[in-house]
Amino acid sequence: MKKIPTKQHCLRVKRLLQLDPEDSAIIYHRGGIQSMRDDTDVELDFRQESNFFYLTGVEEAGFHVVIDLQTETVHLIPPTIPDYEKLWKGPSDAPAVLLDRYDADTIVREADLPQLLCAIQPDIIFTLDITDTSALEGLLPKATLNVSALPVAIHEARLLKFPHEIQLIRRAVHMSSHAHVSLMQHARPRLYEWELEARFRWACARNGLKWQSYLPIVASGPRTATLHYTKNDQLIPDTRHTLILVDAGGEYRCYGSDVTRTFPASGVFSPEAKTVYNIVLKVQETILSRLKPGVLWSDMHWLGVRILTQELIRIGIFKKANVSDVLLLTRAFYFHGTGHSVGLDVHDVGGRSAGIVSVRGAPSFDISRPLEKDMILTVEPGLYFNDISLASWAKDERFNAYVDWDVVNRYRVTGGVRIEDTVRITEDGIENMTLVPKSVSDIEALMAKSRQ
């Protein structure tokens, strides 16, 4: 497997730390450790801590790293494996093997970590507040431990992707796209949602994506209006309105993807479902057409909300209204942000300061930070008829004055629709990495072909 050039990541972080040239400083971080199921000797799946992977490319448990910022030397420290564990898991990799696999300058035994630190004698130790620093205790009593600067620098570094990171994410999105297509071809009423989840995981794994970026959402019928439905344990209803919403993405070498598609269980959209679906598609395609460096994500979010509002007026959900009268009331039907940063985490770091994530309630935007080339983010508008949301808004006299509940109930049977693509900001627009069909005609044609 090709080595990831993570030393470039380390050097970018160093630049962002803005050190005085005379400062003797190191970055110290410790990766994740293997966890066991409660009160057993059964191992849980291990996934590396994202910041450690960014600095080292190591997916295995138990490693440390010391980065000498003056000499720009990356010292990788593998775990010490007792002989009795080697009996069960095999021998440790030789230093030469590790140097061939990872972008480090030296391999240092854990027993030799004190000598390494004494030789460097750093004045500053940059680390994260989540890092286990017990291995440093008593070794550098005069050094200053700084836990505030590194998170800011590493999060900023991770926001703009290197070409090799883009390639890894592109592969994750492409292979996840194939898995989504497989689900559209396989889906039928009266299957269990978990059967589709299993098929998605299998389709990812057979294309090299061993892990999922997050718990897959496979929602059918009324559950499509629940944003983070992950039970995936219900029978898919056999009605003409039934939609299936799949929000899922595989992970390749710790780099994630995030794709959502909504499609009819029967293979054909009902008129009501088609109307709702095309509204969401219109919002997404409009936003995608406007993205480029310099654009403010807040403008894109409110553009989407305005289009949704216009469409809700058009189909009669909002009656006798101007857009400005009911713009904020659209939150009853659309109560999340329009996208977020993607990288080593599916809701990646750096997004909040870049204005491309949301929090509960109103979007949390930094309007001073425009989009930049090589940011990777999602565009994921939705329209939902969520019983809890609607019951809450039904208590609002102003909402009731504008809403035609008969029309709401006509479309309520569709549940909800979300359409999500993962895209990269380019010099003058976007690269849409997502390959799954999303027009009504293309989805119906794909599903019809699989039913022949």
Side-chain angles (χ1 to χ4, degrees):
M1 189 174 291
K2 189 176 180 181
K3 180 189 298 187
I4 299 175
T6 52
K7 191 164 183 180
Q8 295 179 35
H9 305 175
C10 300
L11 296 178
R12 177 182 281 180
V13 172
K14 176 190 173 180
R15 288 194 298 271
L16 291 166
L17 285 171
Q18 298 182 333
L19 291 170
D20 187 299
E22 301 303 315
D23 285 340
S24 174
I26 64 169
I27 293 172
Y28 174 79
H29 193 25
R30 189 167 191 168
I33 60 173
Q34 183 68 58
S35 299
M36 302 292 179
R37 187 182 298 174
D38 294 338
D39 200 28
T40 74
D41 61 354
V42 177
E43 294 179 349
L44 297 174
D45 286 338
F46 175 77
R47 200 276 189 183
Q48 185 60 270
E49 194 275 324
S50 295
N51 294 302
F52 190 82
F53 185 87
Y54 185 75
L55 296 172
T56 67
V58 174
E59 294 188 66
E60 303 168 75
F63 279 69
H64 320 233
V65 68
V66 172
I67 304 168
D68 185 336
L69 296 175
Q70 270 200 324
T71 63
E72 298 183 347
T73 304
V74 178
H75 305 280
L76 188 62
I77 302 104
T80 302
I81 308 297
D83 288 341
Y84 68 86
E85 286 193 20
K86 293 177 184 177
L87 174 66
W88 297 98
K89 296 187 175 182
S92 304
D93 289 318
V97 173
L98 294 175
L99 286 173
D100 186 59
R101 184 182 302 158
Y102 302 122
D103 195 13
D105 297 297
T106 72
I107 303 299
V108 179
R109 297 187 310 153
E110 282 188 313
D112 294 333
L113 179 58
Q115 293 94 309
L116 172 66
L117 296 175
C118 288
I120 299 173
Q121 283 295 313
D123 299 316
I124 306 170
I125 303 170
F126 292 105
T127 189
L128 303 175
D129 57 4
I130 63 170
T131 302
D132 177 2
T133 58
S134 58
L136 306 183
E137 289 180 3
L139 297 179
L140 298 167
K142 296 182 180 180
T144 300
L145 192 67
N146 185 320
V147 299
S148 60
L150 183 58
V152 175
I154 200 169
H155 291 181
E156 179 70 16
R158 284 173 53 184
L159 180 58
L160 300 181
K161 273 60 179 182
F162 285 96
H164 56 270
E165 294 183 283
I166 294 167
Q167 184 176 358
L168 293 169
I169 295 170
R170 185 184 292 118
R171 175 164 178 170
V173 179
H174 283 186
M175 295 303 102
S176 297
S177 295
H178 291 309
H180 276 274
V181 169
S182 178
L183 260 61
M184 286 184 183
Q185 295 171 323
H186 183 75
R188 301 287 190 281
R190 311 298 295 175
L191 291 177
Y192 278 96
E193 293 161 345
W194 69 58
E195 295 180 71
L196 296 187
E197 178 186 351
R199 187 173 189 88
F200 187 89
R201 290 178 180 270
W202 171 78
C204 285
R206 72 190 295 267
N207 285 302
L209 278 57
K210 182 179 179 183
W211 306 112
Q212 295 295 297
S213 300
Y214 53 99
L215 288 177
I217 296 167
V218 182
S220 64
R223 293 168 291 279
T224 57
T226 300
L227 295 188
H228 283 178
Y229 171 82
T230 55
K231 292 181 179 179
N232 304 344
D233 63 355
Q234 297 298 303
L235 203 65
I236 298 171
D238 189 3
T239 78
R240 71 188 188 96
H241 296 298
T242 297
L243 295 174
I244 301 171
L245 186 155
V246 179
D247 185 340
E251 184 176 273
Y252 181 65
R253 301 189 75 178
C254 287
Y255 284 91
S257 62
D258 197 357
V259 177
T260 304
R261 286 296 183 266
T262 308
F263 50 91
S266 68
V268 178
F269 288 89
S270 72
E272 293 80 4
K274 183 177 180 179
T275 295
V276 174
Y277 185 90
N278 278 330
I279 288 173
V280 178
L281 185 60
K282 179 179 181 179
V283 173
Q284 197 212 33
E285 290 185 332
T286 302
I287 293 173
L288 289 172
S289 71
R290 306 284 182 90
L291 294 181
K292 60 182 179 179
V295 167
L296 299 179
W297 189 248
S298 54
D299 290 346
M300 295 298 96
H301 174 80
W302 290 112
L303 171 65
V305 172
R306 181 169 289 275
I307 295 171
L308 278 178
T309 305
Q310 291 169 341
E311 292 296 305
L312 292 177
I313 293 171
R314 180 182 65 80
I315 67 176
I317 284 179
F318 288 134
K319 56 189 179 182
K320 300 177 183 177
N322 296 315
V323 170
S324 58
D325 295 330
V326 293
L327 186 69
L328 297 182
L329 302 183
T330 299
R331 282 184 58 199
F333 306 95
Y334 178 49
F335 32 82
H336 61 79
T338 304
H340 55 81
S341 184
V342 177
L344 286 169
D345 294 301
V346 68
H347 293 164
D348 206 30
V349 297
R352 194 169 306 280
S353 62
I356 51 177
V357 299
S358 65
V359 294
R360 187 171 298 168
S364 174
F365 293 119
D366 175 0
I367 60 174
S368 66
R369 178 75 179 261
L371 298 179
E372 297 178 52
K373 180 178 179 291
D374 294 333
M375 287 182 176
I376 294 181
L377 57 142
T378 66
V379 180
E380 51 176 308
L383 181 55
Y384 311 94
F385 298 87
N386 180 285
D387 289 341
I388 296 173
S389 176
L390 292 174
S392 175
W393 282 88
K395 301 172 186 177
D396 187 321
E397 291 183 5
R398 184 167 177 265
F399 185 74
N400 289 322
Y402 284 109
V403 167
D404 187 326
W405 284 100
D406 288 336
V407 180
V408 169
N409 290 330
R410 176 185 170 192
Y411 291 103
R412 195 174 196 157
V413 294
T414 65
V417 170
R418 182 165 64 257
I419 307 170
E420 177 180 24
D421 291 345
T422 298
V423 305
R424 175 175 72 94
I425 304 299
T426 63
E427 290 182 357
D428 56 2
I430 62 167
E431 173 196 356
N432 192 334
M433 300 177 175
T434 312
L435 306 178
V436 194
K438 59 182 175 181
S439 72
V440 166
S441 58
D442 285 347
I443 290 172
E444 289 183 343
L446 176 65
M447 298 184 76
K449 185 176 181 181
S450 69
R451 284 160 168 75
Q452 291 176 352

